[in-house]
Amino acid sequence: MSTKDFIEKDYYKVLGVPRDATEAEIKKAYRKLARENHPDANEGDAKAEERFKNVSEAYDVLGDAKRRKEYDEARALFGNGGFRQGPGGGGQFNFDLGDLFGGGPGQQPGGGAGAPGGAAGGFGGGLGDVFGGLFNRGGPGATRTQPRRGQDVESEVTLSFTEAVSGATVPLRMSSSAACKSCSGTGDKNGTPRVCSTCVGTGQVSRGGGGGFSLTDPCVDCRGRGLIAQDPCDACRGSGRATSSRTMQVRIPPGVDDGQRIRLRGKGAPGERGGPHGDLYVVVHVDEHPLFGRRGDNLTLTVPVTFPEAALGGEIKVPTLGGPPVTLKLPPGTPGGRTMRARGKGAVRKDGTRGDLLVTIEIAVPREMGDAARKALTEYRAAAEGEDPRAGLFEAAKGD
Ligand SMILES: [Zn+2]
Ligand SMILES: [Zn+2]
């Protein structure tokens, strides 16, 4: 059951009863029409079937005192089969949207200047019921006033290398669009915008797409809001939206990489009319670490070793990021540039496991040496004479 149905369909006419018919009269009329048009009694008669549907639909509303009241009020508000013309023409209405916007300007009898008498005055507190009753029921014509999901918001954050690897909770200052406080989101100085006549308050306009389906576009006249300010609010210039900035603590999961865009569900702008929050997207920048590097899930580290350590082998202790050092066993004859792996000492993966720490060995050459060391090294040179590491280079250089 949509608003459009309420506006377009004359259920009293369908049942053939006057507007002031009693409950008993409505029931009687319905029973008679239902019996006459019942599909069982009119097999293969498509028109009877259609009538039966319409009669059932009409009774669904008029047969229920509460829904009949809503229907009557909606039609009084929107007119019968279209908009009732106000004195200013254009088929526009003024009414108090206090209830609709919740915590708004409250009951303002009569609305703004030039209000066509009756429409607003007659409703007062009843309007909330009308909208609540009609719009919460769903249906294609009711999208505008249904809860609407908040906007997605994008932000940026710069993390230290360690924070990126281990995860961190960081304060994030964000500006987002929220309902304007001055006008309670109505966009109107007096809190009395009129319903857009172009889209009948739905905020959407459908155009035939051919092939039996239609496409909907946001309404141009009201920019998809369904409402138009009569006396635009100074604070928001009639948009009903204001920029608000807030700081919130955001949990960045471990293992994020520089340039990564992460999505935090439900941390975006608040929804409208009780709709859910949008999502927050955070683009992460990661500072470099003076020591460690990053290659996917793995951390990298270059470790200097002495020539004797590399040549003779031995155990070396290397630091890890945020944990105790690990000891690596260098096999005798380890060349410079070799990479060794410390398992599970890398960055945290999505599944909670960790990558590895890739340790690249670099042969450190002492800048200065003590006499004893120099003497020993000179002796070593003499002992190792005849070993030429460049022997193969010249032959290879001549090759094709
Ligand atoms: Zn519109
Ligand atoms: Zn405003």
Side-chain angles (χ1 to χ4, degrees), residues 136-299:
N136 291 337
R137 221 164 260 146
T143 46
R144 170 62 205 155
T145 30
Q146 281 178 331
R148 197 198 254 186
R149 186 177 167 277
Q151 282 182 318
D152 291 339
V153 179
E154 186 158 312
S155 187
E156 287 180 289
V157 70
T158 299
L159 300 179
S160 76
F161 188 90
T162 308
E163 285 173 330
V165 169
S166 331
T169 299
V170 292
L172 206 58
R173 189 174 161 80
M174 284 189 316
S175 52
S176 63
S177 165
C180 170
K181 285 202 175 70
S182 304
C183 62
S184 301
T186 61
D188 190 277
K189 217 177 255 176
N190 303 308
T192 55
R194 60 179 168 81
V195 168
C196 173
S197 57
T198 309
C199 62
V200 203
T202 62
Q204 291 178 341
V205 178
S206 40
R207 58 184 158 99
F213 63 92
S214 68
L215 304 164
T216 58
D217 291 324
C219 175
V220 176
D221 289 351
C222 63
R223 290 190 219 128
R225 298 185 66 229
L227 301 168
I228 294 176
Q230 308 192 82
D231 193 1
C233 164
D234 293 329
C236 64
R237 294 180 188 183
S239 71
R241 311 298 294 169
T243 304
S244 72
S245 83
R246 61 196 162 122
T247 300
M248 59 180 206
Q249 300 295 319
V250 172
R251 174 82 198 147
I252 306 288
V256 292
D257 220 335
D258 188 45
Q260 202 174 321
R261 190 165 176 263
I262 59 172
R263 176 191 184 190
L264 297 161
R265 211 180 278 271
K267 297 287 187 187
E272 288 177 56
R273 283 175 289 279
H277 280 60
D279 296 333
L280 167 63
Y281 290 89
V282 183
V283 177
V284 178
H285 303 286
V286 181
D287 283 340
E288 284 189 10
H289 193 278
L291 197 57
F292 294 96
R294 178 96 178 263
R295 206 180 298 156
D297 299 332
N298 297 326
L299 295 179

Side-chain angles (χ1 to χ4, degrees), residues 381 384-398:
R381 183 171 61 185
E385 209 165 5
E387 291 173 25
D388 184 359
R390 295 175 293 279
L393 293 186
F394 301 96
E395 276 308 307
K398 284 185 213 156

